[in-house]
Each structure stands twice: as C-alpha cells, then as structure tokens.
C-alpha cells in the first residue's frame, strides 16, 4: 500500500491509503491480443503504427477498441470534456466495465475541478477507478477557491500532465495529440482542432503500459475517493447512465453519426498488414515527478532526448507545433542546424487561427533570426477548412492546428503531445513515440506538403531590412501579400503585442 503524500489543505482524507495497481498482462483469449499477435507476426522487434489524421477515424478507433476490450482499458488525458463525444466515449467505457473490463482513468485536474460529483459516481462503479493528477486540494470548483490555491501553491499547480494515451488489453494503444472533446473530433460547432494520433501495436506497447503504471502509482496521482465526500447514491449513477444514453441517441440522429456508421467498418476490421507501417519504435515520456518543483531535476525531462534525436538529422527537419516558442537557445540550435546544411521547416498557427494570442506574440519575436538563417516558416489559415479539398491533411479541415509532429530526414518521426514551447519543455509532462520507418515518414511528409500548400497557409518571409516579416499566400489562384498578420484586426494585433510587456514567456 502507498500512503498519500502531504497536502496543503484538507479536503483529502488523512486516513486514506492509495492502493497501487499494475497493468493486466495480455491474455491470449482477448480478441485484441489475438489480432495484435496476428498482425505483428513476422515483424520481430518492430512495432506497427496507423496514422489517425482524420478526426472521425480517431474517435471511432477509441470507440471500437473500448467495445472490443475484454480485460483492461487505461486512459491518460489532459482534457476529457463532458460534451457530446466525451459522453459518448464515457458510455462505451461504462459498458466495458459492466461486462467485467477493468477501466482506469487518469486525468489532469486543472479542468476537472467542480466535476467531482460525476467523477465520484463513475468511480463508484466496481470496474472503474479514477485518479486525478496534481490535484487541487480544495474541491469546491469555484473560481475563488481555485484562484486562492493557485496563489498559494503556484509553483506546483502551474505544472500539468499533458500526456495522452488510450491502452486496451495491453495489446493496442492510441497516442498522440488529441484530448477527448468535440473540438478534437470535428464535432464542435465553431472551432475545431486539426490533430494527429497513431494507433500502435507490437513491442512498444509494453513501454506505454509501463509509463501508465508509473504515472498511476506516482505521488501526484490521487484517487478521487481520497477526497472527503458523501457516499455516492445508486440513483446518481443511474442518472448518469440515463444522461449518457440520451446523449448517444442525440448523436445517433446527426449527419456526423451517419458518416461514422458508413466508415466504422474500415476502422474496426483492419485485417491486412498493408494498413500498418512498421519500424523500430520507442515510447518516450517525462517522469511524473517533473510536476514536483521540489524534485524536478533536468534528467526527468523528455526534451533532452528529443534534442539528441534531432541531432541525428543529416538533410532535413520538419517541425509541426500549434505553439512554437523556441527561445534563444532553440533559435541558436536551429541556426546551427542550418549552418550544417540541414533544411528546417516549421508549421504553426497564424494569429488568426491560434487560440493563444500571447503565445503567438512570443513566437513572433523569433521569426526574423530564424528566417535569416534560412528556416522555412508557414502559418495555418483560419479558413483552411473551406479552402481545402482534402479530408486528411495536417491542418487541412479545421481552423486551428493542434498536431505535434517532428520528422527527421526521410525515415524518422515523432508523434506525441509535446508542443515546442517553454511550458512543454519545463513545466508540463509530455509523451510520444519515436519511430524509424521510411513509409511512416513519407506519409507524414506528404501530409506536411498538403498542410503547407499556399491555399491553406501563409508563407512567412523576411523583408530586406532583416527585422520585419511579411506573409505570402494564394487566393483565387492569385498571389497575395500581407504586411500585417493576415485576417486580424489592428486591435487584436495590438492586444497580442502588449502581452510582450509582461515577463511570462517561461510560462507559455
């Protein structure tokens, strides 16, 4: 048994003891294990990956895996919204638990405050365990309560778990950039994120499950049951079941559901190896103690491993990140790569497509020196969805980029949760897969080419003065140039630039 660590205020029960648990080993009688063994045969130590660039496929993959699970489902997410897709997935998780599947759900607590009633009700199911990572210790959920705790414990609460994984029967997993919520699956009515996951099979699954267990049993991971509360009434869980069933019926009447039904066979019946790309694959993740400001040595960080991996580039580096704030050290590193004749290309959000103006303002200061060294820079248009004729490109069918991808030369790739900014490097925990596979790298490079076409992006270029930039794009078949951030008002540009007056870059 593992006793809970000391906490600042005590909605935590002082007598609570956290029981550690481990991944359930793969069982041969699981249909998913049988499938994983079949597709992995003859591939030795290599793992297989399927790109999930299409948002609907990404949702259906999770639903199908949950429905086929026989022994275990482990989820680790930064965000799990209680919206249409979040409720749909929750319904399938409950159905799996009803038939005896053990479900473990580990969520970062930043966006879960105030939702304890629902979490406790789900946790009350004998087959479902829920833990919160780096939690707020007052559970009122009020802005005042959260603000007070932030003020008193900022160095800890400012650090969050940004990891994302969905593991089923220790046989298959989905990792990448997507959280659980409508905007990640093209269901939101206003802004949708263009993101990327990979479905993974093979030896790397053991590394992913080990990482989940490490986080699950770590000190920052606290069971929702460890907080003081009244016993969950059976009627509460019944009400949740009814609400989820109602939500499923409503989704079933949408055009989105009709399209999903037409495609679900392709996702759930992948019986040929042609759909998998095979290669040496390593799962990398920050140590969970990275969120502990009293511990957090540099050797717990994922970033140095990524840097070492990028060092191996001989010809080209492709970087895709919604938030790109390289800092002086990052600029110097990319300049050094350019000096070694390595081509460097970057795709990120434009000011008009980002959801974080302060991040964009910080990034803007680093554009001139990068462009001067020959780095190619592209920014996503906010209306890329309307302009694109493709349904499966990075950044092509939504108004905001959220994918995190790196490609080295023609054979190595990273897909994961890590942004290229100070927050991912120093404050949040992150994860992802490093893959050596020419076929996967080619697919990602093809997506990058689609995602940087002038119809859907702005090419950022340096003016002759060497200090200012301009934007070049294509509209209605004609070249168009902009001196200011395209499709933004002067007021928005002013507000974004004003954020540079505050010393907050290290928090972005």
């Amino acid at each position: 048994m593992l006793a809970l660590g000391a906490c600042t205020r005590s909605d935590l029960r002082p007598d609570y003891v956290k029981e550690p648990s481990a991944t359930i080993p793969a069982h041969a009688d699981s249909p998913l294990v049988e499938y994983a063994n079949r597709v992995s045969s003859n591939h030795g130590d290599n793992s297989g990956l399927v790109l999930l660039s299409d948002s609907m496929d990404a949702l259906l993959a999770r639903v199908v895996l949950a429905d086929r699970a026989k022994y275990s489902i482990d989820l680790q997410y930064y965000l799990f919204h209680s919206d249409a897709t979040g409720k749909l997935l929750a319904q399938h998780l409950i159905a799996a638990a009803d038939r005896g599947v053990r479900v473990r759900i580990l969520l970062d607590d930043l966006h879960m405050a105030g939702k304890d009633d629902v979490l406790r009700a789900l946790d009350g199911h004998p087959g479902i365990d829920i833990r919160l990572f780096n939690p707020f210790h007052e559970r009122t959920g009020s802005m005042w309560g959260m603000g007070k705790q932030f003020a008193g414990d900022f160095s800890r609460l400012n650090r969050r778990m940004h990891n994302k994984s969905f593991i089923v029967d220790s046989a298959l997993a989905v990792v990448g950039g997507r959280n659980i919520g409508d905007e990640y699956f093209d269901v939101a009515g206003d802004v949708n994120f263009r993101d990327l996951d990979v479905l993974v099979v093979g030896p790397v699954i053991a590394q992913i499950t080990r990482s989940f267990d490490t986080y699950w049993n770590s000190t920052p991971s606290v069971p929702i049951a460890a907080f003081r509360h009244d016993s969950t009434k059976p009627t509460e869980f019944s009400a949740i079941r009814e609400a989820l069933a109602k939500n499923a019926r409503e989704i079933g009447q949408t055009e989105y559901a009709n399209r999903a039904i037409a495609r679900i066979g392709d996702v759930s019946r992948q019986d040929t190896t042609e759909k998998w790309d095979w290669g040496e694959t390593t799962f990398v993740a920050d140590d969970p103690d990275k969120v502990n400001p009293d511990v957090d040595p540099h050797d717990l960080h994922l970033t140095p491993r990524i840097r070492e991996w990028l060092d191996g580039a001989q010809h080209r580096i492709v970087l895709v990140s919604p938030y790109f704030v390289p800092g002086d050290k990052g600029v110097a590193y990319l300049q050094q790569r350019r000096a070694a004749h390595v081509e460097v290309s970057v795709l990120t959000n434009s000011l008009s497509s980002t959801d974080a103006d302060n991040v964009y303002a910080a990034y803007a200061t680093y554009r001139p020196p990068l462009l001067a060294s020959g780095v190619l820079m592209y920014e996503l248009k906010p209306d890329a969805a309307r302009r694109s004729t493709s349904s499966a490109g990075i950044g092509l069918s939504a108004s905001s980029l959220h994918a995190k991808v790196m490609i080295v030369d023609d054979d190595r790739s990273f897909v994961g949760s890590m942004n290229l900014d100070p927050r991912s490097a120093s404050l949040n925990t992150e994860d992802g897969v490093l893959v050596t596979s020419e076929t996967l790298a080619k697919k990602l490079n093809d997506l990058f080419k689609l995602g940087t076409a002038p119809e859907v992006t702005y090419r950022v270029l340096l003016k002759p003065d060497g200090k200012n930039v301009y934007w070049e794009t294509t509209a209605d078949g004609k070249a168009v140039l902009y001196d200011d951030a395209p499709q933004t008002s002067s007021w928005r540009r002013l507000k974004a630039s004003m954020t540079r007056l505050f010393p907050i870059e290290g928090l972005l």
Side-chain angles (χ1 to χ4, degrees), residues 362-383:
Y363 139 77
T365 65
Y366 298 108
R367 284 184 307 219
L370 289 173
L371 292 168
S373 69
V375 173
L376 305 176
M377 304 194 71
Y378 304 88
E379 296 178 1
L380 181 71
K381 290 181 178 180
D383 55 353

PDB file of all heavy atoms in Angstrom, residues 362-383:
ATOM      1  N   ALA A 362       4.838  35.879 -28.482  1.00  0.00           N
ATOM      2  CA  ALA A 362       6.180  35.451 -28.080  1.00  0.00           C
ATOM      3  C   ALA A 362       6.920  34.822 -29.254  1.00  0.00           C
ATOM      4  O   ALA A 362       8.112  35.094 -29.485  1.00  0.00           O
ATOM      5  CB  ALA A 362       6.082  34.472 -26.918  1.00  0.00           C
ATOM      6  N   TYR A 363       6.223  33.982 -30.006  1.00  0.00           N
ATOM      7  CA  TYR A 363       6.831  33.327 -31.169  1.00  0.00           C
ATOM      8  C   TYR A 363       7.292  34.350 -32.204  1.00  0.00           C
ATOM      9  O   TYR A 363       8.345  34.192 -32.841  1.00  0.00           O
ATOM     10  CB  TYR A 363       5.811  32.345 -31.755  1.00  0.00           C
ATOM     11  CG  TYR A 363       5.712  32.289 -33.256  1.00  0.00           C
ATOM     12  CD1 TYR A 363       6.664  31.619 -34.028  1.00  0.00           C
ATOM     13  CD2 TYR A 363       4.635  32.886 -33.922  1.00  0.00           C
ATOM     14  CE1 TYR A 363       6.548  31.551 -35.404  1.00  0.00           C
ATOM     15  CE2 TYR A 363       4.513  32.830 -35.288  1.00  0.00           C
ATOM     16  CZ  TYR A 363       5.471  32.168 -36.036  1.00  0.00           C
ATOM     17  OH  TYR A 363       5.365  32.103 -37.401  1.00  0.00           O
ATOM     18  N   ALA A 364       6.511  35.442 -32.375  1.00  0.00           N
ATOM     19  CA  ALA A 364       6.802  36.410 -33.422  1.00  0.00           C
ATOM     20  C   ALA A 364       8.181  37.034 -33.275  1.00  0.00           C
ATOM     21  O   ALA A 364       8.823  37.394 -34.265  1.00  0.00           O
ATOM     22  CB  ALA A 364       5.724  37.496 -33.438  1.00  0.00           C
ATOM     23  N   THR A 365       8.670  37.171 -32.047  1.00  0.00           N
ATOM     24  CA  THR A 365       9.972  37.803 -31.842  1.00  0.00           C
ATOM     25  C   THR A 365      11.120  36.955 -32.373  1.00  0.00           C
ATOM     26  O   THR A 365      12.216  37.474 -32.617  1.00  0.00           O
ATOM     27  CB  THR A 365      10.209  38.070 -30.346  1.00  0.00           C
ATOM     28  OG1 THR A 365      10.278  36.834 -29.645  1.00  0.00           O
ATOM     29  CG2 THR A 365       9.083  38.917 -29.764  1.00  0.00           C
ATOM     30  N   TYR A 366      10.879  35.659 -32.559  1.00  0.00           N
ATOM     31  CA  TYR A 366      11.951  34.763 -33.002  1.00  0.00           C
ATOM     32  C   TYR A 366      11.931  34.503 -34.510  1.00  0.00           C
ATOM     33  O   TYR A 366      12.828  33.828 -35.030  1.00  0.00           O
ATOM     34  CB  TYR A 366      11.857  33.433 -32.250  1.00  0.00           C
ATOM     35  CG  TYR A 366      12.027  33.602 -30.761  1.00  0.00           C
ATOM     36  CD1 TYR A 366      10.942  33.460 -29.893  1.00  0.00           C
ATOM     37  CD2 TYR A 366      13.263  33.941 -30.218  1.00  0.00           C
ATOM     38  CE1 TYR A 366      11.085  33.638 -28.524  1.00  0.00           C
ATOM     39  CE2 TYR A 366      13.415  34.118 -28.851  1.00  0.00           C
ATOM     40  CZ  TYR A 366      12.327  33.963 -28.013  1.00  0.00           C
ATOM     41  OH  TYR A 366      12.476  34.156 -26.662  1.00  0.00           O
ATOM     42  N   ARG A 367      10.927  35.030 -35.206  1.00  0.00           N
ATOM     43  CA  ARG A 367      10.853  34.775 -36.644  1.00  0.00           C
ATOM     44  C   ARG A 367      12.021  35.377 -37.430  1.00  0.00           C
ATOM     45  O   ARG A 367      12.620  34.682 -38.266  1.00  0.00           O
ATOM     46  CB  ARG A 367       9.519  35.287 -37.203  1.00  0.00           C
ATOM     47  CG  ARG A 367       8.343  34.405 -36.874  1.00  0.00           C
ATOM     48  CD  ARG A 367       7.068  34.885 -37.533  1.00  0.00           C
ATOM     49  NE  ARG A 367       6.795  36.288 -37.254  1.00  0.00           N
ATOM     50  CZ  ARG A 367       5.578  36.773 -37.012  1.00  0.00           C
ATOM     51  NH1 ARG A 367       4.537  35.958 -37.012  1.00  0.00           N
ATOM     52  NH2 ARG A 367       5.401  38.059 -36.786  1.00  0.00           N
ATOM     53  N   PRO A 368      12.375  36.666 -37.240  1.00  0.00           N
ATOM     54  CA  PRO A 368      13.436  37.241 -38.079  1.00  0.00           C
ATOM     55  C   PRO A 368      14.763  36.479 -38.048  1.00  0.00           C
ATOM     56  O   PRO A 368      15.315  36.171 -39.121  1.00  0.00           O
ATOM     57  CB  PRO A 368      13.570  38.673 -37.532  1.00  0.00           C
ATOM     58  CG  PRO A 368      12.199  38.990 -37.020  1.00  0.00           C
ATOM     59  CD  PRO A 368      11.715  37.698 -36.405  1.00  0.00           C
ATOM     60  N   PRO A 369      15.310  36.139 -36.875  1.00  0.00           N
ATOM     61  CA  PRO A 369      16.585  35.411 -36.917  1.00  0.00           C
ATOM     62  C   PRO A 369      16.459  34.020 -37.535  1.00  0.00           C
ATOM     63  O   PRO A 369      17.401  33.547 -38.190  1.00  0.00           O
ATOM     64  CB  PRO A 369      17.004  35.334 -35.450  1.00  0.00           C
ATOM     65  CG  PRO A 369      15.757  35.538 -34.666  1.00  0.00           C
ATOM     66  CD  PRO A 369      14.918  36.458 -35.488  1.00  0.00           C
ATOM     67  N   LEU A 370      15.316  33.361 -37.346  1.00  0.00           N
ATOM     68  CA  LEU A 370      15.133  32.048 -37.957  1.00  0.00           C
ATOM     69  C   LEU A 370      15.043  32.169 -39.475  1.00  0.00           C
ATOM     70  O   LEU A 370      15.687  31.405 -40.212  1.00  0.00           O
ATOM     71  CB  LEU A 370      13.876  31.372 -37.401  1.00  0.00           C
ATOM     72  CG  LEU A 370      13.960  30.898 -35.955  1.00  0.00           C
ATOM     73  CD1 LEU A 370      12.593  30.414 -35.470  1.00  0.00           C
ATOM     74  CD2 LEU A 370      14.985  29.774 -35.806  1.00  0.00           C
ATOM     75  N   LEU A 371      14.262  33.128 -39.952  1.00  0.00           N
ATOM     76  CA  LEU A 371      14.133  33.326 -41.394  1.00  0.00           C
ATOM     77  C   LEU A 371      15.473  33.733 -42.003  1.00  0.00           C
ATOM     78  O   LEU A 371      15.816  33.291 -43.116  1.00  0.00           O
ATOM     79  CB  LEU A 371      13.072  34.380 -41.683  1.00  0.00           C
ATOM     80  CG  LEU A 371      11.632  33.985 -41.349  1.00  0.00           C
ATOM     81  CD1 LEU A 371      10.717  35.197 -41.403  1.00  0.00           C
ATOM     82  CD2 LEU A 371      11.136  32.901 -42.306  1.00  0.00           C
ATOM     83  N   ALA A 372      16.232  34.554 -41.292  1.00  0.00           N
ATOM     84  CA  ALA A 372      17.536  34.993 -41.800  1.00  0.00           C
ATOM     85  C   ALA A 372      18.486  33.821 -41.989  1.00  0.00           C
ATOM     86  O   ALA A 372      19.365  33.856 -42.871  1.00  0.00           O
ATOM     87  CB  ALA A 372      18.142  36.030 -40.856  1.00  0.00           C
ATOM     88  N   SER A 373      18.324  32.785 -41.174  1.00  0.00           N
ATOM     89  CA  SER A 373      19.204  31.613 -41.295  1.00  0.00           C
ATOM     90  C   SER A 373      18.702  30.623 -42.337  1.00  0.00           C
ATOM     91  O   SER A 373      19.369  29.621 -42.598  1.00  0.00           O
ATOM     92  CB  SER A 373      19.323  30.902 -39.942  1.00  0.00           C
ATOM     93  OG  SER A 373      18.092  30.298 -39.587  1.00  0.00           O
ATOM     94  N   GLY A 374      17.527  30.887 -42.925  1.00  0.00           N
ATOM     95  CA  GLY A 374      17.012  30.012 -43.975  1.00  0.00           C
ATOM     96  C   GLY A 374      15.946  29.036 -43.539  1.00  0.00           C
ATOM     97  O   GLY A 374      15.558  28.151 -44.310  1.00  0.00           O
ATOM     98  N   VAL A 375      15.445  29.168 -42.304  1.00  0.00           N
ATOM     99  CA  VAL A 375      14.346  28.318 -41.859  1.00  0.00           C
ATOM    100  C   VAL A 375      13.088  28.682 -42.644  1.00  0.00           C
ATOM    101  O   VAL A 375      12.766  29.869 -42.805  1.00  0.00           O
ATOM    102  CB  VAL A 375      14.096  28.482 -40.347  1.00  0.00           C
ATOM    103  CG1 VAL A 375      12.841  27.720 -39.914  1.00  0.00           C
ATOM    104  CG2 VAL A 375      15.311  27.986 -39.564  1.00  0.00           C
ATOM    105  N   LEU A 376      12.367  27.678 -43.136  1.00  0.00           N
ATOM    106  CA  LEU A 376      11.116  27.888 -43.856  1.00  0.00           C
ATOM    107  C   LEU A 376       9.975  27.888 -42.855  1.00  0.00           C
ATOM    108  O   LEU A 376       9.841  26.951 -42.065  1.00  0.00           O
ATOM    109  CB  LEU A 376      10.899  26.786 -44.897  1.00  0.00           C
ATOM    110  CG  LEU A 376      12.031  26.580 -45.909  1.00  0.00           C
ATOM    111  CD1 LEU A 376      11.725  25.390 -46.818  1.00  0.00           C
ATOM    112  CD2 LEU A 376      12.259  27.840 -46.732  1.00  0.00           C
ATOM    113  N   MET A 377       9.123  28.930 -42.899  1.00  0.00           N
ATOM    114  CA  MET A 377       8.086  29.074 -41.890  1.00  0.00           C
ATOM    115  C   MET A 377       6.721  29.253 -42.547  1.00  0.00           C
ATOM    116  O   MET A 377       6.559  30.050 -43.477  1.00  0.00           O
ATOM    117  CB  MET A 377       8.399  30.256 -40.971  1.00  0.00           C
ATOM    118  CG  MET A 377       9.762  30.153 -40.316  1.00  0.00           C
ATOM    119  SD  MET A 377       9.991  31.298 -38.931  1.00  0.00           S
ATOM    120  CE  MET A 377       8.925  30.550 -37.725  1.00  0.00           C
ATOM    121  N   TYR A 378       5.745  28.490 -42.018  1.00  0.00           N
ATOM    122  CA  TYR A 378       4.380  28.517 -42.531  1.00  0.00           C
ATOM    123  C   TYR A 378       3.407  28.675 -41.357  1.00  0.00           C
ATOM    124  O   TYR A 378       3.617  28.099 -40.284  1.00  0.00           O
ATOM    125  CB  TYR A 378       4.048  27.224 -43.274  1.00  0.00           C
ATOM    126  CG  TYR A 378       4.997  26.893 -44.397  1.00  0.00           C
ATOM    127  CD1 TYR A 378       6.168  26.154 -44.156  1.00  0.00           C
ATOM    128  CD2 TYR A 378       4.743  27.311 -45.693  1.00  0.00           C
ATOM    129  CE1 TYR A 378       7.044  25.847 -45.183  1.00  0.00           C
ATOM    130  CE2 TYR A 378       5.612  26.995 -46.733  1.00  0.00           C
ATOM    131  CZ  TYR A 378       6.760  26.270 -46.470  1.00  0.00           C
ATOM    132  OH  TYR A 378       7.624  25.955 -47.490  1.00  0.00           O
ATOM    133  N   GLU A 379       2.335  29.428 -41.601  1.00  0.00           N
ATOM    134  CA  GLU A 379       1.292  29.613 -40.590  1.00  0.00           C
ATOM    135  C   GLU A 379      -0.055  29.225 -41.178  1.00  0.00           C
ATOM    136  O   GLU A 379      -0.393  29.614 -42.308  1.00  0.00           O
ATOM    137  CB  GLU A 379       1.255  31.070 -40.117  1.00  0.00           C
ATOM    138  CG  GLU A 379       2.523  31.505 -39.413  1.00  0.00           C
ATOM    139  CD  GLU A 379       2.491  32.973 -38.978  1.00  0.00           C
ATOM    140  OE1 GLU A 379       1.463  33.650 -39.215  1.00  0.00           O
ATOM    141  OE2 GLU A 379       3.494  33.427 -38.403  1.00  0.00           O
ATOM    142  N   LEU A 380      -0.832  28.477 -40.414  1.00  0.00           N
ATOM    143  CA  LEU A 380      -2.119  27.966 -40.879  1.00  0.00           C
ATOM    144  C   LEU A 380      -3.149  29.083 -41.023  1.00  0.00           C
ATOM    145  O   LEU A 380      -3.264  29.960 -40.165  1.00  0.00           O
ATOM    146  CB  LEU A 380      -2.646  26.921 -39.897  1.00  0.00           C
ATOM    147  CG  LEU A 380      -3.990  26.274 -40.250  1.00  0.00           C
ATOM    148  CD1 LEU A 380      -3.850  25.352 -41.424  1.00  0.00           C
ATOM    149  CD2 LEU A 380      -4.555  25.541 -39.040  1.00  0.00           C
ATOM    150  N   LYS A 381      -3.925  29.035 -42.106  1.00  0.00           N
ATOM    151  CA  LYS A 381      -5.028  29.975 -42.286  1.00  0.00           C
ATOM    152  C   LYS A 381      -6.220  29.547 -41.425  1.00  0.00           C
ATOM    153  O   LYS A 381      -6.465  28.355 -41.231  1.00  0.00           O
ATOM    154  CB  LYS A 381      -5.471  30.007 -43.746  1.00  0.00           C
ATOM    155  CG  LYS A 381      -4.479  30.642 -44.703  1.00  0.00           C
ATOM    156  CD  LYS A 381      -5.036  30.647 -46.118  1.00  0.00           C
ATOM    157  CE  LYS A 381      -4.076  31.313 -47.083  1.00  0.00           C
ATOM    158  NZ  LYS A 381      -4.606  31.314 -48.466  1.00  0.00           N
ATOM    159  N   PRO A 382      -7.000  30.500 -40.941  1.00  0.00           N
ATOM    160  CA  PRO A 382      -8.165  30.131 -40.129  1.00  0.00           C
ATOM    161  C   PRO A 382      -9.286  29.510 -40.942  1.00  0.00           C
ATOM    162  O   PRO A 382     -10.128  28.805 -40.395  1.00  0.00           O
ATOM    163  CB  PRO A 382      -8.607  31.470 -39.523  1.00  0.00           C
ATOM    164  CG  PRO A 382      -8.152  32.482 -40.514  1.00  0.00           C
ATOM    165  CD  PRO A 382      -6.848  31.955 -41.049  1.00  0.00           C
ATOM    166  N   ASP A 383      -9.315  29.770 -42.247  1.00  0.00           N
ATOM    167  CA  ASP A 383     -10.375  29.221 -43.095  1.00  0.00           C
ATOM    168  C   ASP A 383      -9.855  28.076 -43.944  1.00  0.00           C
ATOM    169  O   ASP A 383     -10.359  27.812 -45.039  1.00  0.00           O
ATOM    170  CB  ASP A 383     -10.980  30.294 -43.989  1.00  0.00           C
ATOM    171  CG  ASP A 383      -9.921  31.020 -44.825  1.00  0.00           C
ATOM    172  OD1 ASP A 383      -8.724  30.762 -44.604  1.00  0.00           O
ATOM    173  OD2 ASP A 383     -10.298  31.836 -45.685  1.00  0.00           O
TER     174      ASP A 383
END
